[in-house]
Amino acid sequence: MTKKVILSVKNLKRYFDVGRGQKLKAVDGISFDIVRGETFGLVGESGCGKSTAGRTILGLYNKTDGEVLYEGQSIHDMTDNERHRFLKKMQMIFQDPYASLNPRSTVYEIIAEPMQIHGMYKTQEEMRARVNELLEDVGLNRDHANRYPHEFSGGQRQRIGIARSLALDPEFIIADEPISALDVSVQAQVVKLLQRLQREKGLTYLFIAHDLSMVKYISDRIGVMYLGHMVELTSSKQLYDKPLHPYTEALLSAIPIPDPDIEESRERILLKGELPSPINPPSGCVFRTRCPYAMEVCGELKPKWLEKEEGHFVACHLHDEETLKRTDAVREVVGSS
Amino acid sequence: MNEDENTLKKNGQGGAAVLTKPEAAGKRKQVFSEVMLSVRDLYVSFRTFGGEVQALRGVSFDLYKGETLAIVGESGCGKSVTANTIMGLIPEPAGRIKNGSVLFKGKDLTKLDKSKMRKVQGVDISMIFQDPMTALNPTLKIGEQLTEGLRTHQKVSIGEARKKAIKLLEVVGIPNPEERMKQYPHQFSGGMRQRIVIAIALICEPELLIADEPTTALDVTIQAQILELFEEIQERTGVSIILITHDLGVVAKIADRIAVMYAGKVIEIGTKREVFYTPQHPYTKGLLASVPRLDLKEEELQPIEGTPPDLFAPPIGCPFTARCPFAMEVCDRIYPGTTDISVTHAVDCWLQDERAKKLFD
Ligand SMILES: Nc1ncnc2c1ncn2[C@@H]1O[C@H](COP(=O)(O)OP(=O)(O)O)[C@@H](O)[C@H]1O
Ligand SMILES: Nc1ncnc2c1ncn2[C@@H]1O[C@H](COP(=O)(O)OP(=O)(O)O)[C@@H](O)[C@H]1O
Ligand code: SF4
Ligand code: SF4
Ligand SMILES: [Mg+2]
Ligand SMILES: [Mg+2]
């Protein structure tokens, strides 16, 4: 099977004006490709720019710089007609199923709305049949169609959100923390549902989350973000077996494992301090204020995005032989003067 | 553990990160023997438009001095209501304690009048909530909020209270505490706010700390810092902790014992090892199988299908019947009694019945 790139994100930036001429660099130059049929996980702590990246990719936000290509076409330079067609192919699922569902609409209206906007069906019967089919696809039933969102549990509401996102038969779904607000046992239900739908409908997912355990479980490849930057990208297996970036290492180490023996004998890298402001990010490597290995060069030079092994990218001076050589030089100069 | 040791030592401030290695296993395996809180047969209901929600339906457990008891279970199972009942925070008249008692230092907290209860709340028992913003007053400086409790409950002088507050801010890891005392909650990040809430909860040196999902709203690296802080504080002060969480990883890290709740009942309780390694209740087993494990390769996730029962009309039998792969006829009709598996481990399930054991052998 050949791997076909469906989405290509190139040096994407999205800044927000926050007054007094200041810019908040929510996304500051990220690059990655997503292959048709895969699940690409985007992880990082809150505020690192995951949602902004997702929204900019969908074109809900303008880009500040860079490019987003969907099947080769720049999504920020589409005509209205092209955009209308594009929005049928790419859909988004949100974290809070309650906030994203209109409380005054019935489940039927919620799921049928995008179909009406896009004039998908000629008759009411066809549309109702399709809504019923979608309800069954997501593990609900047609009796639920005439109820209101508040009558459902969190997990069921997320199922309604998923049904709505499937209304237009999309091929690509951006799921922005779709399970973060749910109970663990329900999270597993929704993740299994997303996996089944992917198999049945050949969907491609951009799965955004801060919970690495679940992301590891569902993703083929994972990109790790920190303060608007992507710091590491590789297969989900490689990321856990052989993380290269100090931030990835710390993140993995911070996640408690549900096993007392392991948890009690585990060494943990405890990061000090908190996220710096994206309005005034640190110079050089943005992680350097919390990095246990920070070197002089880290404050001076932005680390390059290097492919260390096939498909394993990292941005860290520790993994850049060229700068490492230079650092030694710098140290020697400093030491001898 | 020395219970008089209330002086908290300063946090080590070092580089950007520290590598922590747990001390020799067994450090936290001391035997807890002195019961400090006894919850007995609690029934709590709420009147709503839809009818009466039977939130707690006979909750009993003991809390030992110096231990951390974790309460786990799906949302709506009654964890917060249990905590709020202990704290005297059930909103009346909609909410009502219909039966049961909360014994603390020989007093039944459910029988105390409001002013006596307020004293217990401020001094003996403190509570930390999920969202630090709800616990902080946005219009008051951090310093004032920290010293308020000390000054009203313990009649400490302003200077004394300030000193103690600054010291505690240092303990919970707030840099430049003197400067920070003058700032307002919005000037702090989420993680910092939760540290302040913890400092406020600790300032009167409570014997019991109830933390309701204290790290749920925080990022993992910050959560790791806060959990470390809990352990450190407990080691130094001997405070007992009731930790409510849905994160079994967190439980594995810091609990001594675990109570598993389902539909308003404690359905299994035991030491951390008993509950993790020899769970007896099918719901507990299901819960453990539904969490993804970072450290394991390709294991299959096993969600618990279905949803918990409606607490407007809870089943008379075992509430897990509709979702239980082992359900028998009796389960639906009669609630199973409590079986003691060991001195520390108890479960409510018909599978413990000798006749059922034969059936499944
Ligand atoms: N509409 C906006 N205006 C200004 N700042 C924003 C806006 N949306 C997000 N931000 C800021 O951008 C940064 C990244 O936010 P977000 O993309 O939501 O992160 P994440 O989804 O990873 O939590 C944060 O600092 C956030 O405060
Ligand atoms: N103030 C209230 N009014 C009505 N119902 C309530 C109230 N507080 C809690 N409940 C109900 O009591 C049950 C237990 O809730 P809670 O203890 O908050 O669950 P959790 O385990 O998620 O903390 C739920 O069904 C909830 O809807
Ligand atoms: S570049 Fe330097 S500061 Fe950044 S992660 Fe690597 S070692 Fe740490
Ligand atoms: S009592 Fe019956 S239904 Fe309930 S958990 Fe045990 S076997 Fe399952
Ligand atoms: Mg987000
Ligand atoms: Mg709760």
Side-chain angles (χ1 to χ4, degrees), chain A residues 46-47 50-52 95 176-177 208:
Chain A
S46 54
K50 304 180 298 295
S51 295
T52 304
Q95 167 172 357
D176 190 357
E177 311 237 12
I208 298 173

mmCIF file of all heavy atoms in Angstrom, chain A residues 46-47 50-52 95 176-177 208, ligand 5:
data_model
loop_
_atom_site.group_PDB
_atom_site.id
_atom_site.type_symbol
_atom_site.label_atom_id
_atom_site.label_comp_id
_atom_site.label_asym_id
_atom_site.label_seq_id
_atom_site.Cartn_x
_atom_site.Cartn_y
_atom_site.Cartn_z
ATOM 1 N N SER A 46 -1.761 22.130 28.082
ATOM 2 C CA SER A 46 -2.714 23.143 27.639
ATOM 3 C C SER A 46 -1.988 24.464 27.381
ATOM 4 O O SER A 46 -1.055 24.825 28.086
ATOM 5 C CB SER A 46 -3.836 23.316 28.651
ATOM 6 O OG SER A 46 -3.316 23.584 29.913
ATOM 7 N N GLY A 47 -2.426 25.126 26.342
ATOM 8 C CA GLY A 47 -1.819 26.397 25.975
ATOM 9 C C GLY A 47 -0.664 26.274 24.998
ATOM 10 O O GLY A 47 -0.108 27.277 24.572
ATOM 11 N N LYS A 50 -2.316 23.528 20.476
ATOM 12 C CA LYS A 50 -2.939 22.420 19.747
ATOM 13 C C LYS A 50 -4.252 22.852 19.082
ATOM 14 O O LYS A 50 -4.462 22.609 17.892
ATOM 15 C CB LYS A 50 -3.224 21.247 20.702
ATOM 16 C CG LYS A 50 -2.015 20.735 21.440
ATOM 17 C CD LYS A 50 -2.365 19.579 22.354
ATOM 18 C CE LYS A 50 -3.348 19.916 23.465
ATOM 19 N NZ LYS A 50 -2.867 20.870 24.466
ATOM 20 N N SER A 51 -5.153 23.474 19.862
ATOM 21 C CA SER A 51 -6.442 23.869 19.303
ATOM 22 C C SER A 51 -6.269 24.919 18.223
ATOM 23 O O SER A 51 -6.946 24.868 17.185
ATOM 24 C CB SER A 51 -7.368 24.412 20.397
ATOM 25 O OG SER A 51 -7.675 23.400 21.312
ATOM 26 N N THR A 52 -5.380 25.865 18.462
ATOM 27 C CA THR A 52 -5.136 26.897 17.455
ATOM 28 C C THR A 52 -4.631 26.239 16.167
ATOM 29 O O THR A 52 -5.072 26.598 15.073
ATOM 30 C CB THR A 52 -4.102 27.923 17.973
ATOM 31 O OG1 THR A 52 -4.583 28.454 19.207
ATOM 32 C CG2 THR A 52 -3.896 29.036 16.975
ATOM 33 N N GLN A 95 -14.115 19.146 22.379
ATOM 34 C CA GLN A 95 -13.955 18.551 23.703
ATOM 35 C C GLN A 95 -15.264 18.484 24.476
ATOM 36 O O GLN A 95 -15.634 17.458 25.008
ATOM 37 C CB GLN A 95 -12.947 19.358 24.522
ATOM 38 C CG GLN A 95 -12.960 18.984 25.989
ATOM 39 C CD GLN A 95 -11.842 19.638 26.763
ATOM 40 O OE1 GLN A 95 -11.017 20.339 26.218
ATOM 41 N NE2 GLN A 95 -11.803 19.387 28.043
ATOM 42 N N ASP A 176 -10.686 17.473 18.598
ATOM 43 C CA ASP A 176 -9.969 18.300 19.568
ATOM 44 C C ASP A 176 -10.342 17.886 20.984
ATOM 45 O O ASP A 176 -11.370 18.283 21.502
ATOM 46 C CB ASP A 176 -10.289 19.782 19.320
ATOM 47 C CG ASP A 176 -9.375 20.699 20.147
ATOM 48 O OD1 ASP A 176 -8.558 20.181 20.927
ATOM 49 O OD2 ASP A 176 -9.496 21.932 20.000
ATOM 50 N N GLU A 177 -9.514 17.090 21.611
ATOM 51 C CA GLU A 177 -9.741 16.580 22.963
ATOM 52 C C GLU A 177 -11.130 15.970 23.115
ATOM 53 O O GLU A 177 -11.864 16.318 24.033
ATOM 54 C CB GLU A 177 -9.561 17.712 23.988
ATOM 55 C CG GLU A 177 -8.282 18.497 23.792
ATOM 56 C CD GLU A 177 -7.388 18.502 25.015
ATOM 57 O OE1 GLU A 177 -7.650 17.720 25.942
ATOM 58 O OE2 GLU A 177 -6.427 19.270 25.012
ATOM 59 N N ILE A 208 -6.286 15.435 18.721
ATOM 60 C CA ILE A 208 -5.618 16.363 19.628
ATOM 61 C C ILE A 208 -5.923 15.974 21.066
ATOM 62 O O ILE A 208 -7.082 15.720 21.401
ATOM 63 C CB ILE A 208 -6.114 17.803 19.376
ATOM 64 C CG1 ILE A 208 -5.760 18.244 17.955
ATOM 65 C CG2 ILE A 208 -5.550 18.765 20.409
ATOM 66 C CD1 ILE A 208 -6.358 19.583 17.557
HETATM 67 MG MG MG C 5 -7.171 23.060 23.290
#
